[in-house]
Amino acid sequence: MSADPHLSLKGLTKVYDGRVKAVDRVELDIQNGEFVTLVGPSGCGKSTTLRMLAGFIEPTSGSIEMDGRDITFLPPNKRDIGMVFQSIALFPHMTVAENISYGMKVADEKFSQSEIDDRVEEMLELVEMPETADRYPEQLSGGQQQRIGLARSLALRPEILLLDEPLSALDEKLREQMQTELTKIQQELGVTTVFVTHNQEEAMTMSDRIVIMNDGHFEQIGTPNQVYNDPKSTFVADFMGKSNLFAGTVTETGPDESVVTTDAGEFIVDDTSFRTRASVQILIRPEDLMMSRPSDSQADNTLTGTVTIVHLLGSVTRYYIQSEQAGQLIVEDQSGGQLATEGDSVQVFFDPSECCVIPDPEPPVETDVSEPAMGVYQSE
Amino acid sequence: MYPNQRWGCTRVSSKTTRIGERFLDITPNSAKDNLGYVIIGIPVALLVVFFLIPTLYLFATTFFPREGSGYYQIGFTLEHYARLFDSPIYGRYLWTTLELAAVTTVISVVLGYPIAYWLARVESPALKRGLLLMIVATMWITVIIRAYAIQVVLAGDGILNSLLLDFRLISEPITSSTGYIPTIVGMVYGFLPFAILTIYTSIANINPKLEEASRNLGASRLQTIRWVVLPLSKNGIAGATALVFILAIGSYVVPMLLGNPSEWTLPVIITEQVNEQMNVPFGAVLSAVLTALTIFFFLIAVKVLGLGSDQLIGDTPEGETDGQ
Ligand SMILES: Nc1ncnc2c1ncn2[C@@H]1O[C@H](COP(=O)(O)OP(=O)(O)OP(=O)(O)O)[C@@H](O)[C@H]1O
Ligand SMILES: [Mg+2]
């Protein structure tokens, strides 16, 4: 790509106790100032990856480079990488100011008291919590504690900031507020950030790039738009949002369009990169699926069904539709009005350019997990 | 800060009634009304019969005159107390008792802390259980056997000296089977498990993420222990210090078996007064002194640890933040 990466993960692998392959040969280059989010289901190895970056656990194999320098086995206190913990982990016996200045106090480099005071004040202003310097962590709310945690990790102006689900302990409203604030602070300081969450919405709103992790490996790396609208696997498609999926086979290919035959009928898609007879899945996001009253005209890419559930979610209305051909479908409409009520017969259709074709079945992932896999893809 | 309020009698008695009331709440039935008082009453009665009355009787004995035959009769005299203050030798025994206890305490806590820290941070649960069991197991062996074992090791021709002599690290034995060093070794051996377990509990309650946070902020391992672990386990250290010191003041078997007369502590002297000198009242005086001393240090411990307040020993309330 363009510049040399700020942080590189090269074939990074962690096997716990010689059996649990928590992280499996992951590759990632992160640019200076970039906000990268690791997202994935519980136990997929996000924390393990982050903890290797912070130096709390040694990789089984592979390496980590920072500005081209190998830091794989550098102890955590020699890394210039700040970290914010999910459990916040403020020092309970120290005031807010002492927490923030802890890094300066233990540093080899000596800071004068006025430097320390200035930095504490600056950090408190950054997280918009002046006047709290003399309080103890237990005298702060959860959200305030998390801000101080952030301030503490930024006080030494680290090159890289790691955040392991820092917002998951907060309630919905506070979390959203902290999301915006965190993004703002990150941009203001331009610090390279690796953020971990299992909340796809959080990942979508905050990141420059998203890494979707599954079972120890990276399924896909891309911008929020790419991973949402152009997922490379059904796992990514499912994980990044609600989806309507149709499994089928490519039966015709043309210069502009292909035809995919599924159990639900034939669909025309604008993706021509697949050979005929290839097994694929068609993904249509709920907001790309349109709905109308039933009509006799048989247009392309149309299904019929009955509305079973209507969810009013404020700005969008979500319809669950039971279709004879395709099972349950989800349609989301942002026009504001209510297009149908429960029990209505409707017609559902989509534009060939709005769907995404995903290869299926997913090529077996080349892992030699010593734990026997339950599924079909068992190697050997 | 206000010690008198902490262990004030009013507080204790009000707690007792509250427990009684609670039982009443659960069982409004009048036949069961008294159950709560019975449950509390049994241990209270046992304490009164087997602890309070003997203690008071012991105190009374300190004033009883001695008979020519060596026994004592009921009466009143202050001669035993006069003897205590007249003769400087008992001050020395008192000092020996305190010094041995203090040295034992310092060594036990200093040695115990790193062991407790390591134990608290061992990752494998199986290994941790094994180590804890080993530490507790040392307490199963009777102290007399342990004392003889120490003699075998430290004697002039014992294992330690023979080894050091064989390797030509020393030219003549540096320890003997009895004396100051064997006494200290014996006492530390006896009380170290108490120190380790007390400190272990308090370190185990510290969220390990705090140590990671410290390391992440640039602190070395030692700095992390100095600025994070040590302050957060100070209650454990104070608890271990108090516990070991109070136990050590009452040491009897170890100083008697491993000490020379210069290492004899008050409990040894008390036994000697009662069993050999047949001077029960004076033995009682020394016992009263020992009891007073123990109560005094116990009260200090209570104050330092805030035991009288609603807070418990250990560092749970402030050390644990990993609530999520
Ligand atoms: N210390 C450990 N010893 C053994 N196995 C571990 C250890 N830590 C994590 N694992 C295992 O490694 C895998 C990945 O764990 P990790 O904590 O990285 O997941 P995660 O993606 O952060 O999950 P979550 O979203 O629940 O935090 C899991 O299967 C977990 O059980
Ligand atoms: Mg995690």
Side-chain angles (χ1 to χ4, degrees), chain B residues 18 34 52 61 78 90 94 99 136 151 268 271 307 309:
Chain B
R18 235 185 290 143
N34 297 324
L52 190 63
T61 312
L78 287 174
Y90 298 106
L94 175 64
E99 186 198 315
V136 175
Q151 286 192 348
V268 179
T271 316
L307 279 186
S309 73

Side-chain angles (χ1 to χ4, degrees), chain A residues 16-17 20 22 40-49 86 164-165 196 198, chain B residues 123:
Chain A
Y16 284 113
D17 310 325
V20 187
S42 188
C44 69
K46 307 179 296 287
S47 295
T48 305
T49 308
Q86 172 176 1
D164 193 354
E165 309 204 29
V196 160
H198 54 245
Chain B
E123 272 188 25

Side-chain angles (χ1 to χ4, degrees), chain A residues 122-180:
Chain A
E122 179 192 338
M123 285 300 135
L124 285 176
E125 255 157 44
L126 184 71
V127 296
E128 292 172 8
M129 284 190 49
E131 320 278 319
T132 54
D134 295 326
R135 291 214 217 150
Y136 281 89
E138 61 179 11
Q139 298 168 312
L140 302 173
S141 74
Q144 289 174 324
Q145 289 184 16
Q146 198 51 278
R147 279 171 212 230
I148 299 305
L150 181 63
R152 181 179 68 176
S153 61
L154 289 172
L156 275 178
R157 310 207 164 107
E159 294 258 340
I160 291 164
L161 182 64
L162 307 176
L163 303 118
D164 193 354
E165 309 204 29
L167 309 180
S168 61
L170 310 180
D171 65 53
E172 184 87 20
K173 197 150 176 270
L174 200 56
R175 187 159 67 223
E176 272 171 28
Q177 188 190 339
M178 282 294 288
Q179 281 170 13
T180 14

